[in-house]
Amino acid sequence: DIQMTQSPSSLSASVGDRVTITCQASQDISNYLNWYQQKPGKAPKLLIYDASNLETGVPSRFSGSGSGTDFTFTISSLQPEDIATYYCQQVTFGQGTRLEIK
Amino acid sequence: QVTLKESGPVLVKPTETLTLTCTVSGFSLSNARMGVSWIRQPPGKALEWLAHIFSNDEKSYSTSLKSRLTISKDTSKSQVVLTMTNMDPVDTATYYCARIRYSGYDYVNYYYYMDVWGKGTTVTVSS
């Protein structure tokens, strides 16, 4: 299985901050990297697919970049409703990043 | 509207076999470049991919659980079934199914994303 290593495991930021999460794949996966948001008690929601494509209806403050083995997920201006756990995925999932408001 | 709904037992005993069904609507399991994946999440822990099946019946399983898992589909019933044998309390989790959309293939791996998820079903393993 492809292994995904995500960091940090938790993050505390203020409203309006720029937030960045990284994900590293155990092998070259080209641009085939996806990002999901999961709020407590809910199913995950697709935000970004194929590294940089914003899923329909997802706010433009969310973005992704990268290729090969190294990828980045960014929230340009953190909003209160962005509090959630974020996962990278290509088949398997990263360990998740729990995002909290300072 | 695309929906997926998981169903199965709430409680299973250790050593029993778990059978979960994902019933889909709004798309066909025969649609090219689509399929269904099963994912689970133990309480307070991360998501864990279990298995997938594509419209061409291509299947893949988590390496760590491969010996215990079987995935199959019944296109006419719009259902994907996952069985997991020899259940243990550590298998207690919420089990999700999700629609997968094919992105690419490099002769080794299929690459895809999961664009629509079911709400999940909670399974407890206890005697």
Side-chain angles (χ1 to χ4, degrees):
Chain A
D1 298 348
I2 301 169
Q3 302 302 316
M4 311 303 298
T5 303
Q6 192 174 335
S7 63
S9 57
S10 64
L11 180 56
S12 183
S14 300
V15 172
D17 281 355
R18 183 180 183 88
V19 171
T20 298
I21 300 169
T22 63
C23 185
Q24 187 170 59
S26 60
Q27 65 186 72
D28 187 339
I29 57 170
S30 185
N31 66 325
Y32 301 126
L33 191 282
N34 313 306
W35 293 95
Y36 301 82
Q37 176 192 67
Q38 187 181 32
K39 296 185 177 181
K42 300 293 187 181
K45 174 187 174 183
L46 175 68
L47 299 180
I48 304 280
Y49 64 95
D50 295 346
S52 60
N53 294 304
L54 198 65
E55 175 70 341
T56 303
V58 174
S60 60
R61 64 180 180 274
F62 296 101
S63 64
S65 64
S67 66
T69 61
D70 296 306
F71 301 86
T72 300
F73 171 80
T74 300
I75 306 174
S76 60
S77 178
L78 185 66
Q79 300 302 303
E81 61 267 31
D82 299 337
I83 299 313
T85 300
Y86 293 84
Y87 293 93
C88 63
Q89 175 262 337
Q90 183 41 256
V91 184
T92 60
F93 292 87
Q95 306 95 313
T97 296
R98 185 174 179 178
L99 180 56
E100 299 175 336
I101 294 281
K102 261 186 200 173
Chain B
Q1 182 189 6
V2 173
T3 64
L4 298 93
K5 186 173 183 178
E6 305 89 349
S7 59
V10 174
L11 180 66
V12 297
K13 291 182 169 54
T15 75
E16 287 186 340
T17 294
L18 171 69
T19 299
L20 294 172
T21 300
C22 177
T23 303
V24 310
S25 64
F27 75 102
S28 171
L29 294 174
S30 63
N31 281 9
R33 303 174 72 87
M34 289 187 186
V36 169
S37 189
W38 282 96
I39 306 98
R40 71 178 180 180
Q41 186 172 39
K45 295 189 176 181
L47 300 167
E48 179 183 16
W49 172 76
L50 300 176
H52 73 233
I53 186 166
F54 274 100
S55 56
N56 62 359
D57 216 39
E58 190 276 340
K59 306 166 188 175
S60 185
Y61 300 96
S62 164
T63 299
S64 62
L65 293 168
K66 187 172 186 175
S67 63
R68 300 173 54 205
L69 295 174
T70 303
I71 192 169
S72 63
K73 64 181 174 74
D74 185 330
T75 302
S76 65
K77 292 183 178 179
S78 295
Q79 293 181 334
V80 174
V81 174
L82 181 77
T83 62
M84 181 180 292
T85 61
N86 194 24
M87 292 293 284
D88 183 272
V90 300
D91 297 314
T92 293
T94 297
Y95 287 76
Y96 297 100
C97 61
R99 185 176 75 167
I100 58 180
R101 303 289 298 272
Y102 170 90
S103 289
Y105 176 62
D106 65 1
Y107 301 101
V108 175
N109 297 299
Y110 282 90
Y111 299 107
Y112 57 81
Y113 55 95
M114 305 176 199
D115 67 337
V116 184
W117 292 63
K119 293 184 177 181
T121 186
T122 300
V123 178
T124 300
V125 184
S126 176
S127 54

